[in-house]
Amino acid sequence: MNLALLTPARRNVLQRRIRVIVAITITWNVIEAVVALIAGGVASSAALVGFGLDSIVEVLSAAAIAWQFAAPDPEGREKTALRVIAISFFALAAYVSVDAALSLTGIREPEHSIAGIILAAVSLSVMPFLSLLERRTGRELGSASAIADSKQTLICSYLSVALLVGLLLNSLLGWAWADSVAALAIAFVAVREGIEAWRGDTCCTTPVAVLTGENSPDSCKDPCCDSK
């Protein structure tokens, strides 16, 4: 969408919607983190503990967006918000990679957890919806940071799938390594998205075009776009 066509009233509506989405995301992830960390401790499950820590990363990312859109001029805070989101992606990838390596080498093995299975299933039904809503709003608003945060939320959905499959396979078949393999793939995606978020504030006059691919390379006059 052409950002010049947005009326001030519509822009205000979209900014309020972003704040509501972020508030819901933060609230859910706080609950998710508490439940996952407690259940992970009880079951000695590194996967559940990792999922809880990921929820904390989600809160950090969402808080960065809330901070950005609390300002009268959110665009002025976008660079900092993007940096925070990018770093949270990298931190998530680092933790998941180490945790997966420890599980694959047999140092840690997730145990059976009904609470973890329920949590992962509920998260999988909630997070994709929040991610889609924030992504659509961010695209219309032209906010690279909102779209980057929506990708962070989507990563949480992927982790929910990995956790759910891992816990089910471990409970039913005793395959403790299953969630570790999926986690390594998620770590790769997290690194890629972190790099995009880090670059998103500098390439092209509208960073959202870089993150969504909605603009062709010919529309970008910034030399850094040619290096991507």
Side-chain angles (χ1 to χ4, degrees), residues 104-129:
L104 286 172
T105 55
I107 297 178
R108 296 179 182 175
E109 292 187 3
E111 298 179 3
H112 177 68
S113 174
I114 294 295
I117 292 173
I118 294 174
L119 176 64
V122 173
S123 178
L124 189 56
S125 67
V126 172
M127 302 311 287
F129 172 75

Side-chain angles (χ1 to χ4, degrees), residues 2-190:
N2 189 341
L3 302 184
L5 298 180
L6 280 180
T7 65
R10 180 60 178 168
R11 182 177 293 274
N12 288 336
V13 168
L14 293 173
Q15 290 177 354
R16 285 197 299 270
R17 185 182 300 171
I18 288 289
R19 288 194 289 268
V20 170
I21 295 170
V22 167
I24 294 173
T25 301
I26 290 175
T27 301
W28 170 253
N29 277 285
V30 168
I31 297 172
E32 194 175 70
V34 171
V35 174
L37 290 173
I38 292 176
V42 171
S44 299
S45 171
L48 267 172
V49 172
F51 189 73
L53 293 177
D54 168 70
S55 298
I56 294 176
V57 173
E58 285 288 322
V59 171
L60 176 63
S61 177
I65 301 300
W67 170 76
Q68 178 191 351
F69 282 92
D73 180 23
E75 289 80 6
R77 293 182 172 183
E78 184 157 76
K79 179 177 180 179
T80 301
L82 281 166
R83 290 290 191 258
V84 171
I85 293 170
I87 291 172
S88 68
F89 269 125
F90 296 144
L92 170 59
Y95 178 84
V96 169
S97 297
V98 172
D99 187 66
L102 291 175
S103 296
L104 286 172
T105 55
I107 297 178
R108 296 179 182 175
E109 292 187 3
E111 298 179 3
H112 177 68
S113 174
I114 294 295
I117 292 173
I118 294 174
L119 176 64
V122 173
S123 178
L124 189 56
S125 67
V126 172
M127 302 311 287
F129 172 75
L130 290 176
S131 174
L132 178 62
L133 186 57
E134 184 175 16
R135 184 175 179 84
R136 286 180 174 176
T137 305
R139 278 180 171 177
E140 184 176 356
L141 187 59
S143 171
S145 57
I147 290 183
D149 185 59
S150 75
K151 290 186 176 184
Q152 177 78 297
T153 303
L154 192 59
I155 289 291
C156 185
S157 301
Y158 297 154
L159 282 176
S160 298
V161 174
L163 177 65
L164 181 59
V165 171
L167 290 178
L168 285 174
L169 290 178
N170 187 41
S171 297
L172 299 175
L173 302 176
W175 294 356
W177 51 264
D179 63 335
S180 299
V181 174
L184 289 175
I186 292 168
F188 172 79
V189 175

